[in-house]
Amino acid sequence: VCKYLDAIKLDWFHCPNGGKRHFRVGAKLKKMGVKAGVPDVIIINPTRDGSSGLAIELKVGSNTQKPTQLEWEAKFLNNNWTYAVAYSIDDVIHLVSKHYGK
């Protein structure tokens, strides 16, 4: 996903919120402003349909969004962002094509 987004020259970043961490590291990150449920990929370029950007939550297999992720989805949608869940690189490519024409 990273290589693809870089190759097509969109302005994006990844929020490294996932993964298992020692509780002290988690506490430090929380103090630094890390928020549970923030989508994995944030593309800040406006979309073709006029939304502010595209937020993508990456999932694998049969995983579904957690309550904190659903809360962030609603926040993005309520603030003129497009939000999507992708399960593969093909999903990401389809989303980018649909929303950016790339």
Side-chain angles (χ1 to χ4, degrees), residues 7-83:
I8 61 171
K9 307 228 185 289
L10 287 173
D11 298 316
W12 70 279
F13 60 94
H14 165 66
C15 295
N17 287 1
K20 304 269 187 231
R21 295 184 174 90
H22 190 276
F23 74 93
R24 287 187 183 141
V25 174
K28 181 178 180 180
L29 290 172
K30 189 173 184 176
K31 285 181 183 179
M32 294 171 62
V34 171
K35 306 281 187 197
V38 172
D40 295 301
V41 175
I42 310 292
I43 302 172
I44 64 170
N45 306 85
T47 63
R48 293 188 333 181
D49 66 359
S51 70
S52 297
L54 174 61
I56 304 173
E57 177 61 33
L58 300 173
K59 292 291 182 188
V60 176
S62 61
N63 289 343
T64 59
Q65 292 190 88
K66 296 177 182 170
T68 54
Q69 294 169 327
L70 292 169
E71 290 170 13
W72 276 105
E73 177 179 2
K75 290 175 185 182
F76 274 93
L77 293 174
N78 288 334
N79 285 283
N80 193 38
W81 278 73
T82 300
Y83 184 101

